[in-house]
Amino acid sequence: MIQKLISKIQKTHAPIVVGLDPMLGYIPDHIKSKAYAEFGETLEGAAEAIWQFNKEIVDHTYDIIPAVKPQIAMYEQFGIEGLKAFKKTVDYCKEKDLVVIGDVKRGDIGSTSAAYAVGHLGKVQVGSKTYTAFDEDFATVNPYLGSDGIKPFIDVCKEEKKGLFILVKTSNPSSGEFQDQLVDGKPLYELVGEKVAQWGEECMGDSYSYVGAVVGATYPEMGKVLRKIMPKAYILVPGYGAQGGKGADLVHFFNEDGLGAIVNSSRGIIAAYKQEQYLKFGAENFGEASRAAVEDMVADIDGALKNRG
């Protein structure tokens, strides 16, 4: 799957992923009103609004982006109905030939980790038959429990030719409380990066590993160091736009070949119609606003890469 991701990045010239993290507050009133008229102000109504919102954004952007990243918590908060909307979103994005990164941040041990891996990336056995449950192409994984938590995911990835993005240095302000702590003179995130590079050697594609890393755009200097530590790992970069990251911050996340990183923007794209520069589209045309935001983001990153020293 890493080869498909790279191919689609090269085809679209867009090393970006759209985060489908649909808070109800992001969804225009006309979408919610229609869903509530059909299902009431219920969990089912909320799930329908989310699904219609996602569908419109995907319809307006699928031809100019390589990938999407639905964050499962935004769906889980609405219970089973929300998870149904998550699955519908995953399936629809795959119909549109988008790579789907399931932002699930799972991390456990043994059979529990294996069950998470099977549920999101693999196949589950039911009697004589096998089924894919959620069927994303990549999943985000928390490595805090060590190799016991990662190996079951790697085993499934090898079998299914799918991939991982392992949390290394996250974009949130308090990430340093643990991730920056020194261990034998090195910050913990560097040791995790070394481990990601090691795990990745087991799962190589043509030029990059199926095992990637998550490194926040809000820490560009750390990204520069981690790029060297993990030369064959694709880096998923959150924190662009709404969290303060911009194209100029991102150049060191990329290798000299212009590959090696994919940058996430969530509310900066899906709620673009609320931003001043896209107000002209109006809430009725929120999908067109999202497309314009994607085009602007691509131009920002492309310009930064062309001008890097």
Side-chain angles (χ1 to χ4, degrees), residues 280-306:
K280 63 186 178 184
F281 290 98
E284 290 286 335
N285 300 307
F286 68 93
E288 292 176 28
S290 293
R291 184 181 181 91
V294 166
E295 291 169 341
D296 289 345
M297 181 177 173
V298 171
D300 179 36
I301 294 171
D302 186 55
L305 288 173
K306 285 177 178 174

Side-chain angles (χ1 to χ4, degrees), residues 33-67:
S33 296
K34 187 175 179 183
Y36 296 161
E38 187 173 355
F39 298 102
E41 292 184 350
T42 62
L43 295 175
E44 194 175 5
E48 174 66 11
I50 285 169
W51 157 240
Q52 294 298 340
F53 179 68
N54 285 349
K55 184 176 182 297
E56 181 121 353
I57 289 168
V58 170
D59 285 345
H60 280 86
T61 59
Y62 76 91
D63 59 320
I64 58 171
I65 61 172

Side-chain angles (χ1 to χ4, degrees), residues 192-219:
V192 177
E194 291 170 5
K195 203 69 179 168
V196 167
Q198 181 185 324
W199 287 323
E201 290 171 4
E202 300 178 39
C203 305
M204 283 300 299
D206 293 344
S207 53
Y208 287 92
S209 172
Y210 284 72
V211 179
V214 177
V215 182
T218 44
Y219 300 105

Side-chain angles (χ1 to χ4, degrees), residues 234-291:
Y234 236 82
I235 297 177
L236 171 61
V237 187
Y240 178 91
Q243 290 186 51
K246 51 189 184 295
D249 299 326
L250 305 176
V251 293
H252 298 302
F253 291 87
F254 290 83
N255 283 317
E256 291 301 318
D257 58 7
L259 298 171
I262 184 164
V263 184
N264 177 76
S265 179
S266 298
R267 64 183 179 273
I269 290 174
I270 66 174
Y273 76 97
K274 289 175 171 278
Q275 299 171 34
E276 188 175 348
Q277 65 265 48
Y278 306 113
L279 287 176
K280 63 186 178 184
F281 290 98
E284 290 286 335
N285 300 307
F286 68 93
E288 292 176 28
S290 293
R291 184 181 181 91

Side-chain angles (χ1 to χ4, degrees), residues 15 30 67 73 95 115 137 142-143 147-148 170 192 213 234-235 255 261 282 301 303:
H30 71 278
E95 283 175 27
D137 300 310
N142 190 326
S147 298
D148 293 338
T170 56
V192 177
Y234 236 82
I235 297 177
N255 283 317
I301 294 171

Side-chain angles (χ1 to χ4, degrees), residues 129-147:
K129 298 180 180 180
T130 57
Y131 297 92
T132 54
F134 288 111
D135 199 25
E136 302 102 300
D137 300 310
F138 288 81
T140 56
V141 183
N142 190 326
Y144 193 75
L145 281 78
S147 298

